[in-house]
Amino acid sequence: RWFYSWYSNFYDRMQPFFSSPKMRETGLDLAGISEVNGSSLRVLDVGAGTGTLTLQLLRRGVQAKNVTMLDQSAGMLSKARAKPELQDVTKILGDAQDLPFEDDSFDRVVSSGAIYYWPDPVAAMREARRVLKPGGRALAIGTLQPSAPGIRLIAQTFNRFPTEAQYVQWFTEAGFQDVQTVNVANPWNEAQFAIAVTGTRPADDGKVPKATPAPEASRKPSGLLNLLVLLGRYALSMAAFAVVGPLQVLMAACYYRTHPEEEQ
């Protein structure tokens, strides 16, 4: 959380270099959110950040009053509150694995660029299933393992890069049916796929028990050794990102220079 408390100051400037609107539009298509049905849907955006995906929901006709943004970073939500287009959207500070909503509250639960950060993706997706109405659909958009072995080795030091099979397993273990996937990619690096995954809460689903969150103390490192390990992993991840990040920014910047109409 502390990382995003300061990164939120730069997030909107950096985000266009790492994911494109086209990727998220493909995911929203898969989730069955369109201008035809958007106005009738209640949608929860989990890990909503500053509202990148939420804004695309609104452009598809989803009414702002029917959208809820949830994020664990107060800094990210503060940036969302400053955007006039999002004034009527509900914004809640919360945990994906302990959603503060009643059962059967939403028609869609969506998330972009967040699922691979969650400590227990299955528990989080089970919570998504609980708050969905029977027949409702969940969407998660996330990264896949880099295809180049060298880049993969470096990238995995600072992030979790699941396989397509792992994403499908998370959804099925959480109780979703009709799990579907589609590969998505940034136009400046179409050789490196990400993925959009959707699943449907069964129409005859019974009551889904609310998740029992782990005690706060168990989520925090204890002892000097654990703290040193945590700091060491963070230093290593930042060093790895210092190698991979600029390459991604350079490729995206070159693409936007020749396609300025696509820049966010």
Side-chain angles (χ1 to χ4, degrees):
R1 297 177 186 179
W2 59 268
F3 173 80
Y4 280 96
S5 67
W6 68 266
Y7 185 53
S8 62
N9 294 305
F10 313 99
Y11 180 83
D12 281 335
R13 278 175 279 175
M14 297 300 298
Q15 190 273 337
F17 297 105
F18 291 90
S19 68
S20 67
K22 182 180 177 182
M23 294 173 64
R24 294 183 292 274
E25 293 293 342
T26 301
L28 294 175
D29 287 341
L30 191 65
I33 301 172
S34 69
E35 293 180 356
V36 174
N37 67 350
S39 62
S40 66
L41 298 177
R42 290 198 67 211
V43 183
L44 170 64
D45 186 355
V46 181
T50 63
T52 302
L53 182 60
T54 305
L55 287 169
Q56 290 181 242
L57 287 169
L58 300 185
R59 294 176 192 131
R60 288 190 171 224
V62 182
Q63 297 183 47
K65 66 179 182 179
N66 290 337
V67 179
T68 299
M69 297 172 60
L70 180 136
D71 202 277
Q72 67 168 0
S73 168
M76 297 289 270
L77 289 179
S78 71
K79 300 301 179 184
R81 291 189 182 95
K83 297 179 179 180
E85 310 97 313
L86 300 177
Q87 288 303 303
D88 294 331
V89 172
T90 301
K91 304 165 192 72
I92 294 179
L93 189 69
D95 189 334
Q97 296 178 198
D98 183 22
L99 296 176
F101 308 108
E102 298 295 327
D103 299 354
D104 310 340
S105 294
F106 299 96
D107 301 291
R108 300 287 189 275
V109 174
V110 301
S111 181
S112 178
I115 187 171
Y116 42 82
Y117 289 117
W118 300 336
D120 188 344
V122 174
M125 293 312 301
R126 193 172 290 122
E127 272 289 89
R129 175 176 146 234
R130 178 183 66 80
V131 302
L132 274 170
K133 300 173 184 177
R137 298 168 76 176
L139 163 71
I141 304 172
T143 56
L144 289 170
Q145 291 182 355
S147 53
I151 298 295
R152 183 190 312 146
L153 180 64
I154 295 173
Q156 287 179 331
T157 65
F158 65 84
N159 205 348
R160 176 196 283 166
F161 287 87
T163 63
E164 179 175 343
Q166 286 175 306
Y167 280 107
V168 172
Q169 182 180 3
W170 290 341
F171 271 69
T172 54
E173 285 189 12
F176 286 96
Q177 294 181 344
D178 189 27
V179 178
Q180 301 177 41
T181 66
V182 63
N183 285 333
V184 296
N186 287 315
W188 55 84
N189 187 15
E190 294 184 344
Q192 175 55 51
F193 288 120
I195 193 169
V197 189
T198 63
T200 302
R201 181 180 177 183
D204 58 354
D205 206 7
K207 181 177 176 61
V208 181
K210 180 163 174 51
T212 303
E216 190 67 24
S218 69
R219 302 183 184 185
K220 298 179 180 179
S222 58
L224 179 60
L225 180 59
N226 285 338
L227 179 60
L228 291 175
V229 169
L230 182 63
L231 291 174
R233 288 184 60 188
Y234 178 74
L236 180 62
S237 68
M238 289 298 98
F241 184 75
V243 175
V244 176
L247 293 175
Q248 180 78 357
V249 171
L250 179 61
M251 288 189 294
C254 291
Y255 178 83
Y256 285 134
R257 180 170 295 181
T258 56
H259 300 80
E261 71 283 356
E262 295 188 28
E263 191 167 2
Q264 300 175 58

